[in-house]
């Protein structure tokens, strides 16, 4: 008989995972403790913007016309425990307030709520990003709290999905990492992932600590790549080089590769910044802090780029103050094709300029609602053209396709001054300059 799957926590990761499991043919029950989220999902609505996710959900949520009916939702842990053979824990692990360490309270609560209802054999699979050592501890919690005792097992199976590509990354992952302690656990995970495995996705079997570390190591490496190229941008700014050409040239070496070498205002979002900090905090607890002190520098380089963007803008506006200056900010989300504004470099820059007296007007294709909630005091416009109207400078801070397709000549008609600063190195300088704009970018000559 086909496995039945539960997904605990229906945020970014969980909602996508639940829909993907239904797509792979399993009966799925998603659980969340937030009633509004469950109500939305039951109507086939997704609480965030993620390309393709709503369609996938509507294809499977029970009660929606024409759906497979394989996906249902609940708030009841007893129901989830009775339903599932495999329980995926997908709750979030944010940064602790005022500390670098990761807040494990949602993970702990999920295990504590589920375990007492597990009266028969089950595999609990952790997907959340956690500090190394957590799985070992949680495995003990499970055996202690579950009436079925040793029949309940844990596996750790980190998730590498990118926002904006969540559906594709979940259905066709580039690797599956399985931290397991028994053949039974491996067999069950292979059954769950039979479809991607049949497509040739590598299946890497590890112990618990390695599985946990793979995720934080991967994110640390990606953050390091970005900060590396941003450090080169700083040197280019000082020495007159062009970081975009430099990235292109070093990227031809396939040991280095082209990806994740886009210099600009740096990384943000709900993962990279908090994951490298939690990794440093955990290494400290383990007495291995020296091994990760370089991540402190990665973090500093990254945060410095936001300040540099503010200074470049000040300079472009004449060098003194932002008072009386109107600044258009194109982009609010931490990356394109997402409505996520968590730790967004774009909003950080907008906020800094606003706090220094500039009149900032923000436009973003999908992030307006979330941006307004986080920074209600900034100005907002309904379109890019409206944001640019009357502006003394235009800041391009999130590389949405819509912004690359803007007509610089038409924008020039409505702007007060034709000054554009590209914080993502994604606009075509030649096109903007031809339309009479002063184009400046990070790590590139002013020309
Ligand atoms: C990341 C990891 O990529 C993913 O594997 C993990 O599961 C979760 O964290 P995500 O947060 O969706 O995914 O975003 P990602 O595409 O990694 O981008 C992170 C940030 O880096 C964005 O703010 C992006 O604008 C920035 N970035 C990325 C750069 O500044 N330059 C680059 O070259 C690449």
């Amino acid at each position: 008989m086909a496995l039945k799957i539960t997904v605990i926590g229906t945020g970014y990761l969980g909602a996508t995972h639940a829909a993907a499991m239904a797509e792979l043919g399993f009966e799925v029950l998603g659980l969340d403790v937030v009633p509004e989220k469950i109500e939305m999902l039951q109507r086939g609505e997704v609480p965030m913007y993620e390309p393709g996710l709503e369609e996938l959900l509507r294809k499977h949520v029970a009660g929606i016309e024409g759906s497979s009916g394989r996906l249902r939702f609940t708030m009841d842990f007893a129901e989830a425990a009775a339903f599932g053979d495999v329980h995926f824990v997908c709750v979030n692990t944010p940064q602790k307030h005022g500390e670098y360490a990761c807040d494990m309270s949602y993970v702990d609560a999920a295990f504590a709520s589920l375990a007492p209802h597990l009266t028969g054999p089950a595999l609990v699979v952790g997907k959340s990003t956690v500090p190394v050592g957590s799985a070992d501890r949680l495995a003990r919690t499970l055996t202690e709290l579950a009436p079925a005792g040793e029949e309940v097992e844990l596996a750790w199976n980190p998730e590498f999905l990118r926002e904006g590509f969540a559906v594709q990354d979940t259905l066709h992952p580039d690797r599956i990492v399985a931290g397991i302690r028994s053949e039974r656990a491996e067999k069950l995970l292979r059954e769950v992932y039979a479809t991607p495995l049949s497509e040739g996705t590598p299946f890497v079997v590890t112990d618990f600590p390695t599985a946990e570390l793979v995720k934080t190591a991967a994110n640390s490496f990606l953050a390091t790549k970005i900060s590396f190229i941003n450090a080169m941008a700083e040197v280019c700014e000082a020495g007159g080089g062009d970081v975009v050409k430099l990235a292109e040239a070093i990227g031809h070496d396939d040991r280095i590769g082209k990806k994740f070498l886009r210099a600009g205002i740096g990384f943000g979002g709900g993962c990279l910044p908090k994951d490298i900090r939690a990794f440093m905090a955990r290494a400290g607890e383990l007495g291995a802090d020296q091994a990760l002190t370089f991540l402190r520098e990665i973090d500093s380089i990254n945060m410095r780029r936001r300040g540099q963007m503010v200074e470049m803008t000040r300079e472009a506006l004449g060098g003194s103050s932002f008072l009386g200056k109107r600044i258009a900010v194109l982009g609010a989300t931490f990356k394109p094709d997402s409505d996520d504004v968590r730790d967004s470099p774009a909003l950080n820059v907008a906020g800094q300029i606003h706090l220094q007296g500039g009149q900032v007007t923000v436009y973003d294709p999908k992030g307006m609602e979330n941006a307004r909630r986080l920074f209600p005091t900034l100005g907002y416009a309904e379109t890019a053209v409206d944001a640019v109207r009357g502006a003394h400078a235009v800041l391009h801070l999130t590389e949405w396709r819509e912004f690359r397709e803007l007509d610089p000549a038409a924008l020039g008609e409505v702007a007060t001054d034709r000054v554009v600063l590209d914080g993502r190195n994604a606009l075509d300088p030649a096109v903007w300059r031809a339309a009479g704009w002063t184009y400046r970018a990070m790590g590139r000559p002013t020309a």
Side-chain angles (χ1 to χ4, degrees):
M1 219 177 63
L3 292 174
K4 287 186 170 173
I5 288 175
T6 80
V7 176
I8 295 160
T10 58
Y12 226 104
L13 168 58
T16 314
H17 192 67
M21 288 294 118
E23 174 74 4
L24 294 180
F26 300 104
E27 296 282 328
V28 184
L29 184 62
L31 180 148
D32 207 288
V33 295
V34 181
E36 296 77 33
K37 240 189 233 175
I38 291 298
E39 285 159 18
M40 274 188 91
L41 292 164
Q42 277 168 339
R43 292 195 300 267
E45 292 165 23
V46 182
M48 62 271 177
Y49 173 73
E50 178 63 39
L53 182 54
E54 194 148 295
E55 290 81 346
L56 194 67
L57 203 73
R58 299 185 65 83
K59 199 172 155 193
H60 298 294
V61 172
I64 290 186
E65 210 188 305
S67 80
S68 74
R70 286 199 290 270
L71 177 54
R72 291 188 302 109
F73 294 95
T74 184
M75 293 184 58
D76 183 354
F77 275 96
E79 186 188 351
F83 176 89
D85 303 300
V86 180
H87 305 277
F88 283 98
V89 177
C90 297
V91 296
N92 64 335
T93 50
Q95 188 176 335
K96 267 190 194 164
H97 190 67
E99 276 180 58
Y100 270 13
C102 139
D103 176 357
M104 284 292 285
S105 58
Y106 301 112
V107 176
D108 290 338
F111 275 78
S113 307
L114 177 70
H117 299 289
L118 296 171
T119 51
L123 181 68
V124 179
V125 185
K127 270 203 162 296
S128 309
T129 301
V130 297
V132 59
S134 305
D136 189 43
R137 174 175 66 77
L138 291 164
R140 284 198 301 273
T141 307
L142 270 183
T143 2
E144 275 162 31
L145 298 182
E150 304 279 331
E151 284 187 328
V152 176
E153 227 193 300
L154 182 68
W156 212 263
N157 169 222
E159 178 56 54
F160 306 100
L161 67 80
R162 299 161 296 169
E163 294 189 14
F165 300 89
V167 170
Q168 186 198 327
D169 287 352
T170 309
L171 287 172
H172 310 283
D174 51 15
R175 78 284 210 188
I176 294 164
V177 175
I180 43 135
R181 282 183 169 169
S182 77
E183 274 175 28
R184 181 177 75 125
E186 178 176 346
K187 194 177 150 282
L188 279 169
L189 278 179
R190 283 187 182 276
E191 213 173 315
V192 169
Y193 292 118
T195 307
L197 290 176
S198 72
E199 291 168 358
T201 302
F203 189 77
V204 185
V205 175
T206 71
D207 52 24
F208 282 176
T210 309
E212 294 165 313
L213 284 167
V214 169
K215 174 63 194 247
T216 33
N219 274 355
S220 299
F221 192 84
L222 294 173
T224 302
K225 257 191 126 173
I226 301 169
S227 277
F228 172 83
I229 202 64
N230 282 333
M232 294 306 110
E234 282 188 19
V235 179
C236 284
E237 279 155 19
D242 181 340
V243 74
V244 175
K245 277 283 158 208
L246 184 142
E248 181 192 333
I250 63 173
H252 284 301
D253 182 335
D254 63 12
R255 293 170 303 175
I256 296 173
K258 287 190 195 325
K259 290 180 182 161
F260 266 65
L261 287 182
R262 293 193 317 274
I265 53 172
F267 60 81
C271 292
L272 258 44
K274 66 114 176 144
D275 285 353
I276 62 171
R277 291 173 195 153
F279 201 17
M280 283 186 268
R282 184 63 183 141
E285 287 167 9
L286 295 169
D289 40 341
Q290 254 194 337
L292 297 187
T293 42
F294 76 96
L295 286 178
R296 204 173 291 277
E297 200 52 44
I298 298 307
D299 204 0
S300 307
I301 294 167
N302 189 54
M303 299 308 281
R304 220 156 52 219
R305 295 320 281 164
R306 303 174 181 192
Q308 170 65 3
M309 188 72 213
V310 176
E311 289 322 307
M312 269 177 62
T313 310
R314 191 199 311 281
E315 207 175 283
L317 289 169
S320 54
S321 106
F322 287 110
L323 288 173
K325 299 291 185 190
R326 288 187 294 273
I327 293 100
V329 167
L330 301 182
T333 53
F334 85 104
K335 69 189 263 189
D337 299 313
S338 162
D339 65 356
D340 196 343
V341 298
R342 284 178 294 171
D343 200 3
S344 165
L347 272 187
N348 182 304
V349 169
Q352 286 192 53
I353 295 177
H354 167 74
L355 289 174
Q356 293 181 38
Q359 285 178 44
V360 179
T361 307
V362 180
Y363 166 74
D364 188 279
K366 295 285 176 197
M368 300 286 274
E369 213 178 299
N370 287 338
R372 264 205 193 96
R373 214 171 298 141
L374 200 63
F375 280 98
T377 50
L378 294 175
Y380 292 92
E382 289 306 311
T383 64
V385 177
D386 283 345
V388 172
R389 206 177 297 284
H392 298 103
V394 176
L395 271 54
H396 175 244
L397 301 184
T398 313
E399 68 279 33
W400 287 91
R401 171 198 279 264
E402 180 179 328
F403 300 148
R404 287 196 293 283
E405 290 171 350
L406 286 169
D407 173 8
L411 279 188
E413 296 294 321
V414 301
T416 296
D417 294 319
R418 297 185 182 197
V419 176
V420 62
L421 291 102
D422 188 356
R424 289 295 181 183
N425 277 314
L427 302 175
D428 185 344
V431 175
W432 285 76
R433 284 179 181 142
W437 288 80
T438 304
Y439 170 95
R440 291 192 192 170
M442 309 202 78
R444 305 191 84 176
T446 354

